[in-house]
């Protein structure tokens, strides 16, 4: 695949007013979400839940792509139509989570490094055959006493760059996600510093590994106050700090940046994105790739009665997509 083809997929992922829905929870993570609302976690409940999300009417009005987990990429609707076909027929790009999760970084207690490079070339080739157009790899950076170490940042960024180069070799757009966690009592400035140093390291690694930025999407965490910080930054402060940080560390040739929600409330995730776009224009489109902030209302409703609330749960997905799509244009209003 040529760089032009990768570039056009990357641009489609951040088309104006559109974003990504992340439904790539591993079986362990989705079990935690299901446990929270009292649903048994089986292959079929996972399939039924993802069918509800992916068959939301008019989802593609504001959703350009969906990130799936390995199991979901191979599943079908109850009527037997593969999810990838449902998506491609509706103009939604199939994406796939390919990392094997964060594991303890030896020698650095409390820090994590994401694994999954072994055998990745073959896995990506299979995913491309199954219809995946883009892939995601999430690195986790934890803020704490003497953390993150430069070793943790460099190890994670090196892995992200190796993964991104392998994706492009297979004709798949890499979505590189270095998530700086919100956990902790640090303030906004600390989050700013950690995010900037992480992004600078990431783009240095991508350059070293010959990754073509024109065919890459960044999935970033916003610059926010730690969850337990007594002084929480306002929406405008978060938006201003995030934009400043991105401009200081992300090359303008990148086709787009999408954000994770990371445990923010639905409304905060939308308000922050909207405020950033109202401060534009910026060098890149800024959109969303939310998991929890797209799904939490739908999951709660669906869990009460999977059949009876199927349509209502889909309405909340459509509503969250619409609100976040407006925020991607800086046109969201609180009561929208
Ligand atoms: P959240 O929006 O729930 O943080 O999930 C996004 C994601 O894909 C994290 O990797």
């Amino acid at each position: 695949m040529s760089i032009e083809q990768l570039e056009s997929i990357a641009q489609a992922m951040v088309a104006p007013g559109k974003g990504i829905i992340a439904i790539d929870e591993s079986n362990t993570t989705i079990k935690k979400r299901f446990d929270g609302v009292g649903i048994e976690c089986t292959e079929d409940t996972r399939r039924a839940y993802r069918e509800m999300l992916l068959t939301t009417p008019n989802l593609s009005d504001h959703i350009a792509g969906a990130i799936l987990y390995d199991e979901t990429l191979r599943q079908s609707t109850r009527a037997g139509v593969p999810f990838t076909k449902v998506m491609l027929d509706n103009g939604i790009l199939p994406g796939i989570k390919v990392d094997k999760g964060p594991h303890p970084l030896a020698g650095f207690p409390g820090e994590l490094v994401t694994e999954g490079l072994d055998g990745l070339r073959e896995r990506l080739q299979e995913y491309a055959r199954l219809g995946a157009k883009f892939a995601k790899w999430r690195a986790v950076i934890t803020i704490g006493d003497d953390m993150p170490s430069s070793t943790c940042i460099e190890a994670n960024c090196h892995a992200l760059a190796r993964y991104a180069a392998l994706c492009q070799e297979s004709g798949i757009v890499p979505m590189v996600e270095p998530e700086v966690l919100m956990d902790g009592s640090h303030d906004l400035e600390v989050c700013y510093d950690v995010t900037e140093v992480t992004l600078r390291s990431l783009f240095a690694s991508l350059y070293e590994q010959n990754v073509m930025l024109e065919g890459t999407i960044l999935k970033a965490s916003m610059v926010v106050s730690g969850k337990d910080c007594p002084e929480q930054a306002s929406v405008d402060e978060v938006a201003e700090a995030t934009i400043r940080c991105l401009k200081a560390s992300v090359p303008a040739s990148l086709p787009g940046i999408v954000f994770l929600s990371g445990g923010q409330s639905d409304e905060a995730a939308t308000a922050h994105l909207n405020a950033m776009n109202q401060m534009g224009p910026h060098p890149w489109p800024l959109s969303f790739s939310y998991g929890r902030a797209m799904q939490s209302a739908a999951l709660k409703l669906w869990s009460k009665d999977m059949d009876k609330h199927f349509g209502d749960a889909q309405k909340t997905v459509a509503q969250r997509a619409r609100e976040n799509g407006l925020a991607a244009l800086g046109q969201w209003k609180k009561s929208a």
Side-chain angles (χ1 to χ4, degrees):
M1 184 176 290
S2 68
I3 178 61
E4 285 78 18
Q5 285 167 304
L6 287 171
E7 205 172 342
S8 78
I9 295 169
Q11 285 167 357
M13 288 165 67
V14 288
K18 292 195 186 191
I20 306 288
I21 181 169
I23 57 171
D24 59 333
E25 300 85 0
S26 65
N27 287 352
T28 318
T29 304
I30 197 72
K31 181 173 184 323
K32 276 189 223 148
R33 307 265 193 269
F34 278 10
D35 284 350
V37 291
I39 301 176
E40 197 192 347
C41 190
T42 65
E43 185 176 342
D44 199 53
T45 54
R46 293 190 294 269
R47 193 207 58 72
Y49 176 61
R50 268 77 181 243
E51 174 170 354
M52 181 276 292
L53 296 171
L54 290 171
T55 58
T56 295
N58 305 318
L59 189 61
S60 62
D61 286 357
H62 304 286
I63 295 293
I67 318 172
L68 310 181
Y69 185 58
D70 180 275
E71 175 185 273
T72 319
L73 190 76
R74 302 169 193 280
Q75 285 176 323
S76 302
T77 63
R78 199 171 358 185
V81 186
F83 284 151
T84 46
K85 178 165 166 45
V86 171
M87 294 169 72
L88 289 167
D89 286 353
N90 288 314
I92 295 178
L93 296 165
I96 178 77
K97 167 199 176 76
V98 300
D99 65 71
K100 298 259 181 186
H103 294 261
L105 178 63
F108 292 82
E111 298 203 274
L112 300 165
V113 63
T114 300
E115 296 186 359
L117 288 171
D118 288 355
L120 182 58
R121 171 175 279 126
E122 291 71 26
R123 288 197 289 130
L124 285 166
Q125 287 164 353
E126 188 196 5
Y127 289 141
R129 281 197 300 276
L130 289 169
K133 305 292 179 204
F134 70 100
K136 185 192 98 172
W137 178 290
R138 171 175 175 257
V140 177
I141 306 295
T142 311
I143 298 181
D145 292 340
D146 297 324
M147 287 198 293
S149 63
S150 55
T151 307
C152 172
I153 291 174
E154 280 160 26
N156 275 295
C157 291
H158 182 81
L160 274 163
R162 293 269 324 274
Y163 135 84
L166 284 163
C167 283
Q168 292 187 335
E169 182 189 85
S170 284
I172 288 179
V173 169
M175 177 187 271
V176 289
E177 180 184 16
E179 176 174 0
V180 176
L181 292 181
M182 286 166 62
D183 301 337
S185 54
H186 55 274
D187 64 15
L188 187 79
E189 282 311 309
V190 170
C191 182
Y192 179 100
D193 290 344
V194 171
T195 306
E196 182 179 341
V197 84
T198 302
L199 290 174
R200 282 176 183 260
S201 171
L202 173 63
F203 284 96
S205 295
L206 293 173
Y207 179 70
E208 279 161 21
Q209 302 285 335
N210 276 347
V211 174
M212 296 172 283
L213 293 189
E214 294 80 358
T216 302
I217 293 288
L218 171 66
K219 177 158 175 166
S221 42
M222 296 179 197
V223 175
V224 292
S225 318
K227 239 177 6 201
D228 302 323
C229 179
E231 203 181 312
Q232 290 291 312
S234 68
V235 169
D236 282 349
E237 285 167 340
V238 168
E240 185 277 326
T242 305
I243 294 295
R244 194 158 40 90
C245 187
L246 293 172
K247 284 187 176 163
S249 47
V250 180
S253 54
L254 200 78
I257 300 173
V258 292
F259 293 98
L260 57 99
S261 58
Q264 296 181 32
S265 70
D266 289 6
E267 186 177 315
T270 305
H272 288 146
L273 178 62
N274 189 58
M276 282 188 255
N277 279 308
Q278 285 186 339
M279 292 172 185
H282 302 303
W284 343 255
L286 299 179
S287 191
F288 61 95
S289 174
Y290 296 155
R292 283 161 285 181
M294 275 297 302
Q295 299 179 47
S296 52
L299 176 60
K300 243 182 252 161
L301 208 52
W302 183 78
S303 68
K304 289 190 195 142
D305 186 325
M306 295 177 192
D307 291 325
K308 199 165 129 213
H309 293 310
F310 190 90
D312 289 338
Q314 290 187 324
K315 281 190 193 136
T316 70
V317 178
Q319 171 70 4
R320 292 300 299 139
R322 197 172 75 83
E323 293 199 37
N324 290 317
L326 287 170
L329 299 169
Q331 293 171 3
W332 175 76
K333 298 213 172 44
K334 206 170 168 155
S335 56

